[in-house]
């Protein structure tokens, strides 16, 4: 694995103030972008790159530049269309309803220079039919109940025509790409998959599932949108520091196994979202661990028990420990500079303060502002940078572990005041769908989850914890037992006897039967 | 009073010693800490020591196994099962029936060989006893012989599932071993041998019906000749009977006016339909604990010597067999650790209740409306029913003097609910909603349905309506009332979303044009929901096993009240079932050449609810 330098060919006006989080994890991971939105952004990149003839191939590291769709008419119709309900309720008759609605809509639609929605009349028999279709699209929207601005709401990715990027649409109609919810994490995901070893196989599958697939609902989105609209400019500047990483391969493998399940594409997407969330979370932790040079990250999971257990405490501790890892990595990463030859040279210079400031600028892209004038010691300067970096880190990257682990159902505060790793049923189901081809012995499944994702559930994976005396073997075997019961009640496990059980993938199993 | 006590002291002397030995022996089967009760070997020793007639357990397979090995072309056999299913017992019985020497067997060789004519039979009563090298070479020979039709050596191997797989995996992976392992693994999971060249039959003792076994075990134990000494035991008198004997009496009673046995077997059956298996050893432990359980004695299981003290302290009522069934004589920790009681307590009997039952139990003594029933259900049972302890707790509770009274009464109430579940006469079952005393309110209907299906009779209309309505509500996410059509709805996006506004198909429940929704049995005696979409076999019927839990879920959904405890588990199951149905209807449309898009027109079928709550279809055309 090679760690890549920051590319200097693209300089963003509103780019990062300094290059610390980005140097470790890339530009950028963002807490407000939920796993669902990561996948949506990814699909946008995928489609745009496909249109440019570069499906899942990176011509030179970190050169990604793409032009996503914006589909302004479609999103206005679905998410910025309050009049449809009122016009329908007035019961004025079909003709009047259409006319009234068109007037209102043409006035209020956002981001369009000359809005004209009259083309829609030929697509529907009645205004009521039109309203039902819009209602259907609203109901199936991604995270539809959120109170985000209308330009940050998304229809379900039925197909290429239903994809568009997050935008900020101002009152005066100007469009800006403020990276609020499509904060480049989808671009990072795209780069990761481009750099995975299984890229060729994945390319075929993605093409088949998301590019070539023609679904009736996608053509409905097409009918509503009319001609496709694209962003005005190319989006560049994404940066992923690792030329390769085991996590990249794991994401790709997980995507391949989910995409190979014999179920409709729509049903695969939620699983893809969950596994992407989990793997990116692990990427965050693994990178921190690599910077710190500490032991392998692991996640001790409690399978929720009705009463307080030792495992609950341990999983809470494990959560806390991991939650702080990225922050520790930031400090370590900055401090490392004081052990470099460049530092020694800078300190030996006639004006160490000036040369160190210069070094920090070169390394971390940190331009000290006037406030630092009073600082005279080079070491204080480093400390200052550290503090700034931590403050910035805590605003977003530092929140990712908490936000994503909750979003994918990995962490919970159920019957406790402390957050801990306690996977919910949906996550467990996704893990089974993803990891088990047909069937797998239960103990093997536990070992696999540990090997692949660092999840510690059963006693066999917790040897050292038990040896240290922090828990009894029984605590962990009971934990595994609860997982076994849980999976059995979800219909994902077949028990042969007290000593033997098989985890079964519900989809592949039915295929065989 | 003094005199009374002295009398008891005398009684102690008249306890029959051989009966006491029998009770002590029976006690070993119960949930005692030594765990010695686990193994056939130690039981044989104890029997000899005390000259007790062995408990002859039902082992329906033995004859089949013996016939097989006597036949001219026998097949090698593997007997698997959970610890306590009787694997060792089976091997021993086969050995003896085929003329093996019991003394030789009792020497305890791990691998025993028996010549049968020109053939020889290798019996391994427990594969896990073998050392790594021993088992590796055995597995190699075994794999070779079962793949070879002309081999003259047959095998009878016993192991629990995990050990069997472990041994197969740890042996040297030759081609033969791999083939055989694959076949055995498949047989373990599906019960079907996928490979005709592998001449081996696998029998899973875990699949024999435990309810039937339980009845046989109860009969065997309660009719054992060890009880004969009780006749002249002075602990046994009419006013204050010996709790051991009383429990035995209640356990023996069978027939329409004694619902106890049928209710107990119903619980076991329901558990098994929920795929919670009861091995023979657990059933033995259940019977032993039911008869001997008492919270105040050593190991919480009575011996004959304990009885006089119990009677003296007026604690007979704590030996109630209805409490012992759920392990209430044991510590809470022990109950939670014992699989047997975990499974039985999953029914929540004692905690669940209905208004009628609680009204009867709390106010029945004074409420004229409940007078007759109180007489029949409580006062008539002086030993475990309206005991002095219960009556005084009830009184104190109603007077409301202190908090302790309340807790005390609550535990009494629990014991009475448990008792009522087992003793409520069949004709009062409806009035007091018997199954509301469990978490499975619909279990009564479920068992009825299962019985009708097994006997090939028509399923009660009401049950099928309930199932279809429940499914419809889950499939659409709306409170629809339809029960003559299955409303297959889709969300248009992913199947997991809760509301599905688009109609995929309406499938007729009564047979119509190749469509039907029905209930049927499968080869493992489970009950399935069976949905047929077409005549012929182009699309095979889509089935879903209908467990008591799923049945309960559907019942509650169809009545519009769902306890949160069901949360996701069943819901996910049914959504997965829907996803399968959607896949098949899609296939049917492809076969029929139907397309959602015709000449640039996309037809969306929305589901509307009319005033009667019925789902009706509204077509919307989009020109695309």
């Amino acid at each position: 694995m090679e760690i890549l330098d920051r590319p200097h060919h693209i300089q963003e006006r509103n780019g990062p103030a300094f290059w610390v989080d980005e140097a470790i994890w890339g530009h950028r991971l963002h807490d407000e972008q939920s796993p669902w939105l990561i996948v949506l952004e990814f699909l946008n990149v995928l489609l745009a790159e496909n249109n440019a003839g570069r499906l899942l191939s990176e011509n030179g590291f970190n050169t990604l530049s793409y032009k996503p769709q914006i589909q302004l008419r479609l999103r206005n119709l679905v998410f910025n269309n309050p009049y449809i309900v009122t016009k329908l309720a007035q019961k004025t008759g079909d003709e009047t309803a259409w006319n009234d609605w068109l007037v209102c809509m043409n006035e209020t639609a956002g981001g369009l220079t000359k809005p004209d929605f009259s083309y829609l009349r030929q697509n529907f028999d009645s205004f009521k039919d039109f309203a039902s279709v819009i209602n259907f699209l609203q109901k199936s929207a991604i995270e539809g109940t959120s109170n985000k601005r209308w330009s940050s709401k998304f229809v379900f990715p039925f197909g290429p025509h239903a994809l568009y990027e997050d935008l900020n649409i101002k009152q005066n109609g100007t469009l800006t790409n403020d990276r609020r919810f499509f904060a480049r994490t989808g671009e990072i995901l795209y780069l990761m998959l481009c750099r995975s070893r299984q890229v060729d196989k994945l390319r075929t599958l993605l093409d088949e599932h998301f590019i070539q697939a023609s679904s009736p609902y996608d053509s409905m989105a097409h009918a509503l949108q009319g001609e496709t609209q694209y962003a005005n400019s190319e989006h560049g500047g994404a940066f992923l520091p690792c030329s390769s990483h085991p996590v990249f391969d794991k994401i790709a493998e997980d995507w391949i196994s989910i995409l190979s399940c014999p179920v409709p594409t729509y049903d695969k997407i939620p699983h893809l979202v969950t596994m992407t969330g989990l793997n990116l979370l692990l990427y965050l932790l693994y990178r921190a661990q690599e910077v710190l040079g500490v032991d392998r990250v692991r996640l001790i999971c409690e399978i929720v028990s009705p009463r307080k257990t030792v495992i609950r405490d341990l999983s809470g501790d494990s959560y806390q420990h991991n939650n702080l890892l990225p922050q520790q990595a930031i400090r370590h990463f900055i401090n490392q500079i004081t052990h470099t030859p460049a530092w020694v040279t800078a300190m030996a210079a006639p004006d160490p303060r000036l040369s160190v400031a210069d070094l920090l600028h070169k390394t971390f892209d940190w331009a000290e502002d006037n406030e630092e004038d009073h600082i005279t010691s080079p070491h204080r300067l480093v400390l200052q940078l550290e503090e700034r970096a931590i403050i910035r880190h805590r605003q977003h990257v530092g929140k990712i572990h908490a936000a994503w682990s909750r979003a994918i159902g990995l962490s919970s505060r159920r019957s406790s005041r402390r957050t801990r790793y306690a996977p919910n049923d949906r996550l467990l189901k996704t893990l089974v769908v993803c990891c088990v081809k047909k069937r797998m012995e239960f103990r093997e499944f536990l070992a696999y989850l540990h090997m692949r994702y660092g999840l510690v559930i059963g006693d066999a994976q917790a040897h050292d914890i038990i040896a240290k005396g922090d828990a009894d073997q029984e605590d962990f075997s009971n934990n595994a037992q609860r997982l076994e019961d849980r999976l059995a009640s979800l219909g994902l496990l077949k028990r042969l006897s007290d000593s033997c059980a098989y985890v079964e993938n519900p989809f592949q199993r039915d295929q065989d039967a | 009073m003094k005199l009374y006590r002295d009398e008891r002291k005398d009684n102690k002397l008249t306890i029959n010693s051989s009966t006491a030995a029998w009770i002590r022996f029976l006690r070993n089967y119960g949930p005692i800490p030594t765990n010695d009760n686990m193994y056939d070997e130690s039981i044989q020793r104890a029997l000899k020591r005390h000259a007790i007639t062995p408990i002859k357990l039902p082992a329906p397979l033995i004859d089949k196994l013996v016939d097989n090995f006597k036949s001219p072309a026998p097949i090698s056999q593997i007997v698997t099962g959970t610890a306590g299913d009787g694997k060792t017992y089976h091997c021993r019985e086969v050995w003896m029936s085929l003329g093996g020497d019991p003394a030789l067997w009792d020497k305890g060789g791990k691998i025993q060989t028996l010549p049968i004519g020109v053939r020889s039979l290798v019996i391994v009563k427990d594969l896990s006893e073998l050392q790594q090298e021993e088992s590796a070479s055995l597995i190699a020979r075994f794999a070779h012989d079962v793949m070879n039709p002309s081999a003259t050596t047959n095998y009878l191997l016993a192991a629990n599932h995990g050990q069997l797989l472990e041994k197969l995996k740890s042996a040297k992976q030759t081609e033969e071993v791999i083939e055989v392992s694959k076949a055995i693994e498949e047989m373990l999971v599906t019960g079907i041998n996928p490979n005709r060249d592998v001449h081996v039959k696998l029998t899973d003792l875990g699949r024999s019906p435990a309810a039937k076994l339980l009845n046989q075990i109860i009969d065997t134990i309660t009719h054992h000749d060890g009880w004969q000494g009780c006749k002249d035991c002075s602990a046994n008198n009419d006013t204050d009977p010996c709790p051991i004997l009383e429990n035995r009496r209640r356990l023996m009673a069978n027939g329409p006016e004694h619902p106890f046995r049928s209710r107990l077997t119903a619980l076991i059956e329901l558990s098994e339909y929920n795929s919670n298996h009861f091995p023979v050893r657990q059933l033995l432990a259940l019977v032993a604990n039911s008869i001997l359980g008492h919270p105040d004695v050593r190991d919480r299981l009575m011996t004959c010597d304990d009885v006089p003290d119990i009677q003296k302290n007026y604690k007979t009522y704590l030996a109630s067999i209805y409490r012992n069934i759920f392990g209430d004589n044991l510590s809470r920790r022990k109950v939670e650790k014992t699989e047997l009681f975990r499974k039985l307590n999953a029914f929540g009997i004692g905690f669940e209740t209905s208004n009628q039952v609680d009204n009867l139990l709390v106010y029945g003594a004074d409420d004229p409306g409940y007078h007759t029933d109180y007489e029949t259900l409580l006062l008539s049972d002086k030993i475990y029913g309206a005991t002095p302890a219960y009556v005084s707790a009830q009184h104190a509770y109603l007077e409301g003097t202190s908090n302790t009274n309340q807790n005390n009464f609550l535990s009494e109430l629990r014991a009475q609910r448990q008792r009522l579940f087992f003793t409520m006469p069949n004709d009062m079952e409806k009035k007091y909603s018997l199954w509301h005393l469990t978490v499975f309110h619909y279990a009564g209907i479920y068992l009825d349905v299962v019985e009708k299906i097994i006997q090939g009779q028509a399923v009660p209309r009401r049950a099928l309506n309930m199932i279809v309505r429940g499914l419809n509500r889950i499939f659409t996410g709306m409170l629809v009332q339809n029960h003559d059509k299955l409303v297959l709805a889709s969300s248009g996006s992913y199947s997991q979303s809760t509301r599905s506004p688009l109609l995929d198909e309406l499938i007729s429940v009564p047979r119509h044009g190749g469509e039907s929704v029905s209930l049927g049995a499968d080869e493992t005696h489970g009950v399935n929901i069976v949905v047929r979409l077409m005549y012929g076999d182009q699309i095979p019927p889509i089935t879903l096993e209908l467990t008591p839990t799923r049945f309960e879920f559907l019942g509650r959904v169809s009545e519009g009240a769902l306890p949160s405890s069901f949360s996701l588990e069943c819901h996910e199951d049914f959504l997965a079932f829907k996803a399968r149905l959607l896949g098949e209807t899609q296939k049917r449309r492809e076969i029929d050449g139907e397309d959602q898009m015709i000449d640039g027109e996309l037809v969306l079928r929305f589901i509307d609810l009319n005033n009667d709550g019925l789902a009706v279809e509204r077509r919307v055309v989009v020109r695309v």
Side-chain angles (χ1 to χ4, degrees), chain A residues 122-123 125 132 136 156 158 216-217 266-267 307 425 429 439 490 494 496-499 502 510, chain B residues 82 160-161 165 185-186 188-189 332 336 491-495 502 568 572-573 580 596 602 618 623:
Chain A
Q122 58 174 355
N123 290 330
D125 286 342
S132 313
F136 162 67
F156 189 84
F158 292 112
Y217 300 122
Y266 298 166
D267 285 339
R307 263 191 299 278
D425 291 351
K429 185 169 180 179
R439 60 172 170 250
L490 289 170
K494 186 166 180 144
L496 294 183
S497 70
D498 45 2
S499 61
Y502 278 99
D510 288 344
Chain B
T82 309
N160 77 28
H161 308 96
L165 289 172
E185 194 177 324
E186 194 68 29
L188 273 175
V189 182
R332 200 169 117 184
E336 275 167 16
S491 64
S493 51
Y494 52 103
S495 320
L502 293 174
L568 213 56
E572 288 278 324
D573 279 0
R580 268 160 60 204
Q596 207 178 358
L602 169 70
R618 182 161 59 85
R623 281 174 284 277

Side-chain angles (χ1 to χ4, degrees), chain B residues 220-255:
Chain B
T220 313
I221 290 183
T222 53
H223 291 109
H224 192 270
D225 53 17
W227 296 101
Q228 288 192 354
C230 290
K231 276 196 300 242
D232 23 78
C233 173
S234 49
N236 184 24
N237 62 68
D238 285 343
T239 48
D240 196 0
C242 163
I244 299 179
L245 216 50
E246 179 60 25
N247 285 344
R248 173 188 171 226
R249 191 180 63 75
R250 292 185 186 232
L251 203 51
M252 284 169 85
N254 205 351

Side-chain angles (χ1 to χ4, degrees), chain B residues 74-327:
Chain B
I75 301 183
S76 289
Q77 303 273 347
I78 297 177
V79 177
T80 68
T82 309
D85 262 331
K87 297 182 294 289
T88 311
Y89 185 81
H90 273 78
C91 290
R92 185 186 154 87
E93 293 293 309
V94 168
W95 171 266
M96 311 252 269
S97 307
L98 291 172
D101 177 6
L104 191 60
W105 179 270
D106 287 345
K107 276 190 190 150
K110 295 175 198 164
I111 302 176
Q112 309 252 30
T113 311
L114 185 70
I116 307 172
V118 290
R119 298 176 160 274
S120 64
L121 172 65
V122 176
I123 302 186
V124 181
K125 67 180 183 343
D126 188 352
L127 213 51
S128 65
E129 283 181 350
L130 302 187
Q131 300 292 327
Q132 180 58 36
E133 304 87 63
E134 285 177 299
S135 80
S137 71
L138 176 84
I139 295 286
R141 273 180 287 140
F142 169 75
H144 178 75
D145 284 342
V146 298
M147 295 287 287
N148 179 5
S150 58
T152 54
T153 308
N154 291 105
Y155 297 82
L156 171 61
L157 309 182
N160 77 28
H161 308 96
Q163 294 157 355
L164 180 60
L165 289 172
E166 220 167 85
K167 292 289 177 196
L168 286 171
K169 274 180 198 154
S170 62
K172 191 168 169 242
Q173 297 294 301
T174 61
E175 218 167 275
E176 281 166 343
V177 172
I178 291 172
E179 286 265 315
V180 171
S181 303
K182 241 200 210 156
I184 290 177
E185 194 177 324
E186 194 68 29
M187 279 191 271
L188 273 175
V189 182
T190 62
I192 298 161
N193 185 349
N195 189 343
R196 279 159 174 241
D197 297 332
V198 179
H199 299 278
V200 69
K201 194 160 176 266
L202 184 139
T203 313
D204 192 342
L205 294 176
R207 294 192 185 173
S208 37
K212 208 173 135 200
L213 277 176
L214 177 67
N215 268 318
Q216 291 169 335
I217 290 173
I218 292 177
D219 286 338
T220 313
I221 290 183
T222 53
H223 291 109
H224 192 270
D225 53 17
W227 296 101
Q228 288 192 354
C230 290
K231 276 196 300 242
D232 23 78
C233 173
S234 49
N236 184 24
N237 62 68
D238 285 343
T239 48
D240 196 0
C242 163
I244 299 179
L245 216 50
E246 179 60 25
N247 285 344
R248 173 188 171 226
R249 191 180 63 75
R250 292 185 186 232
L251 203 51
M252 284 169 85
N254 205 351
E257 67 276 23
H258 299 291
F260 179 38
R261 288 265 285 264
S262 62
R263 301 265 159 82
L264 182 58
T265 44
L267 292 186
I268 303 281
E269 242 173 87
L270 286 168
S271 268
E272 296 231 306
Y273 281 122
N274 268 333
S275 49
N276 281 324
H277 168 62
F278 289 85
V280 173
R281 187 179 299 148
Q282 289 182 9
L283 296 175
L284 279 166
L286 176 64
V287 175
N289 191 65
S290 305
I291 299 179
L292 300 177
H294 193 290
D296 294 344
V297 298
R298 192 170 63 88
D299 292 342
R300 320 232 174 180
L301 290 170
M302 295 180 279
T303 60
C304 290
D305 295 338
D306 296 322
V307 173
D309 272 346
I310 290 170
Q311 291 177 327
K312 192 175 73 184
N313 297 327
Y314 307 109
K315 294 287 186 196
T316 306
Y317 74 100
L318 285 176
S320 165
I321 187 169
Y322 314 110
R323 300 176 64 228
N324 293 343
I325 297 270
F326 301 104

Side-chain angles (χ1 to χ4, degrees), chain B residues 278 282-283 285-286 325 338-345:
Chain B
F278 289 85
Q282 289 182 9
L283 296 175
L286 176 64
I325 297 270
T338 312
E339 206 196 321
L340 163 69
F341 296 118
R342 267 214 313 271
K343 285 184 285 203
L344 286 168
N345 278 308

Side-chain angles (χ1 to χ4, degrees), chain A residues 74-199:
Chain A
L74 174 65
R75 60 211 282 177
N76 263 300
L77 286 171
V78 181
F79 299 114
N80 187 27
N81 189 357
Y83 300 103
I84 199 161
V85 191
T86 51
K87 295 302 161 204
L88 197 65
Q90 284 166 359
K91 300 202 166 141
T92 49
D94 203 54
E95 188 64 29
T96 331
W98 271 117
N99 291 334
D100 289 0
W101 174 80
L102 278 170
V103 172
C104 293
M105 193 64 200
N106 291 346
E107 265 172 28
T108 55
L112 292 161
T113 35
K114 272 187 198 150
D116 178 12
F117 288 93
S118 55
Y119 63 94
L120 288 169
R121 288 196 64 165
Q122 58 174 355
N123 290 330
F124 295 94
D125 286 342
S126 70
F127 188 71
K128 193 179 167 206
D129 286 1
F130 169 57
S132 313
V133 167
I134 296 298
N135 183 277
F136 162 67
L137 289 174
Q138 288 167 346
K139 287 273 156 60
S140 56
I142 298 303
E143 296 177 350
T145 52
S146 76
N147 56 358
K148 294 195 171 96
R149 59 191 179 189
W150 71 267
S151 59
S152 294
K153 290 190 175 194
F154 303 92
V155 298
F156 189 84
F158 292 112
H161 295 98
L163 293 175
Y164 49 79
E165 70 162 340
D166 179 37
L167 282 177
N168 181 12
I169 299 173
K170 299 214 178 94
Q171 282 293 325
N172 61 11
T174 51
L175 310 175
T176 48
N177 169 10
D178 63 357
R179 301 271 183 198
R180 180 79 194 280
F181 299 106
F182 274 15
R184 293 184 183 277
T185 316
E187 297 174 4
I188 293 273
L189 173 63
Y190 181 83
L191 294 180
M192 287 177 169
L193 291 177
C194 284
R195 295 178 198 177
S196 66
R197 272 191 240 145
Q198 300 79 356
V199 61

Side-chain angles (χ1 to χ4, degrees), chain A residues 42-55:
Chain A
F42 165 81
L43 290 176
N44 271 289
V45 179
L46 188 77
L47 180 65
E49 284 296 273
N50 177 64
N51 293 344
R54 296 188 292 257
L55 183 64

